[in-house]
Amino acid sequence: MSFGRASRRRFTLLAATAVAGALTLSACGDGNTTGGGGNTNFVTGSGGISTVAKGDRVAAPKLDGKGLDGKPLDLADYRGKVVVLNVWGSWCGPCRLEAKYFAKVSKETADQGVQFLGINTRDAQRDAAINFEKDYGVEYPSFYDPIGKLILRFPKGTLNPQAIPSTVVIDRDGKIAARTLQALDADELREMIDPIIAEK
């Protein structure tokens, strides 16, 4: 009987480790991970930004939950805007490097119909994430997703976030248009989102 419990505990621990590994993927890595297989219809440019032609895009998943402030947050509320979705953690060095650029560009593009949203992941306490946003001047909302459930909603074989940081751009029709798996500066971020802003 005790052997059975120990085996179950060991299996549970192994399963939890596998899930954690799948969630982190290449956490805080260099962003050189490639995604999808087979016929994916997306192209990765020299800057590590993958894009999909307008006619080949797939719908973004339903993303809803609570923000860092504890209030309800829903991606669907921003339909009709270009949404820049950034996956980050306060513990992640590259996230700290790019945060000031995201804060800056979010302000610059707000009157162009662009909404920035974050997905804060793997922060066990909200306070660390809230302090991160204050330190870097991030004023747009972020989902609080400590175990990565929202990230897993992205369909395989699409431009899904596979690293931390990752950035996904969702077009005005609610479809995934671009993705990068690395930290970006302001110029790189504009290079990624400006073509989608320009779409009519």
Side-chain angles (χ1 to χ4, degrees), residues 9 30 37 53 84 119 129 143 160 173:
R9 252 189 313 236
D30 61 10
V84 180
I119 298 179
F143 289 98
N160 54 345
D173 297 321

Side-chain angles (χ1 to χ4, degrees), residues 36-107:
N39 186 14
T40 55
N41 292 324
F42 58 84
V43 177
T44 302
S46 59
I49 297 170
S50 302
T51 58
V52 180
K54 196 166 183 178
D56 293 329
R57 295 175 187 165
V58 299
K62 179 172 177 53
L63 297 177
D64 60 341
K66 296 274 176 88
L68 287 175
D69 59 5
K71 295 178 182 173
L73 188 58
D74 193 334
L75 174 64
D77 291 341
Y78 302 101
R79 187 75 179 262
K81 292 189 173 203
V82 172
V83 177
V84 180
L85 190 64
N86 180 246
V87 180
W88 64 278
S90 67
W91 45 269
C92 166
C95 301
R96 290 192 288 274
L97 292 174
E98 73 177 3
K100 65 182 177 186
Y101 301 119
F102 277 68
K104 175 181 183 283
V105 175
S106 72
K107 290 174 186 163

Side-chain angles (χ1 to χ4, degrees), residues 150-173:
L150 293 178
I151 297 166
L152 293 177
R153 292 185 187 177
F154 283 82
K156 290 181 181 178
T158 66
L159 295 182
N160 54 345
Q162 299 178 355
I164 302 166
S166 288
T167 302
V168 174
V169 181
I170 299 167
D171 69 17
R172 290 180 183 88
D173 297 321

